[in-house]
Amino acid sequence: MATTYDFPSDLLAGQEELHQVRAELSALLKRLPWSVVPLDGFSDDNGWRKVERPASPGWTADEQAEVEKLRQREHELAVFVSTHRYWSELAGSDRVAARSQLKHAHEVPPEETGGTP
């Protein structure tokens, strides 16, 4: 059985918010045009694979501000989680194992969903 760690609630909340912010940023970037600034479309088949892009209208000022806000929050949370005082209580491989476990702490264990482990 793997070691379980008693993470502080603020660390768990920070990691959960980090997951949420990254998911929100990823979804936003998928919706936005491929180029921040307006650019013509292009097609290039001279490389190892063909690349095609439609013309991009660019991002609006609001879209740029939203991306910047999410990136800034992601950075703040990543710094908070990675420099949390809890990590000083662990050494070496325990710290690595605990960090890995924290990244998945929000997931429901298979035995709670009725699945097999």
Side-chain angles (χ1 to χ4, degrees):
M1 178 105 200
T3 303
T4 56
Y5 299 92
D6 188 22
F7 298 114
S9 60
D10 64 330
L11 181 56
L12 285 167
Q15 180 66 50
E16 178 61 26
E17 186 179 351
L18 181 57
H19 283 301
Q20 291 170 355
V21 167
R22 285 181 172 162
E24 191 176 334
L25 178 59
S26 177
L28 175 61
L29 292 172
K30 287 178 183 176
R31 286 193 317 267
L32 293 175
W34 63 271
S35 175
V36 177
V37 297
L39 287 176
D40 293 333
F42 67 90
S43 178
D44 181 9
D45 57 2
N46 293 326
W48 63 276
R49 64 182 176 122
K50 185 174 183 174
V51 177
E52 290 183 314
R53 299 277 185 180
S56 173
W59 297 358
T60 66
D62 288 344
E63 290 168 337
Q64 290 180 41
E66 182 66 15
V67 168
E68 181 58 31
K69 182 182 94 172
L70 289 171
R71 285 182 174 158
Q72 179 63 35
R73 187 61 182 150
E74 177 187 29
H75 177 77
E76 291 167 359
L77 289 164
V79 169
F80 171 78
V81 169
S82 63
T83 62
H84 194 278
R85 66 190 175 281
Y86 176 76
W87 304 121
S88 65
E89 299 172 13
L90 303 171
S93 62
D94 283 340
R95 188 179 299 164
V96 173
R99 179 69 184 112
S100 181
Q101 194 174 101
L102 176 66
K103 290 179 181 181
H104 300 282
H106 68 286
E107 298 171 358
V108 179
E111 58 271 6
E112 291 182 21
T113 60
T116 57

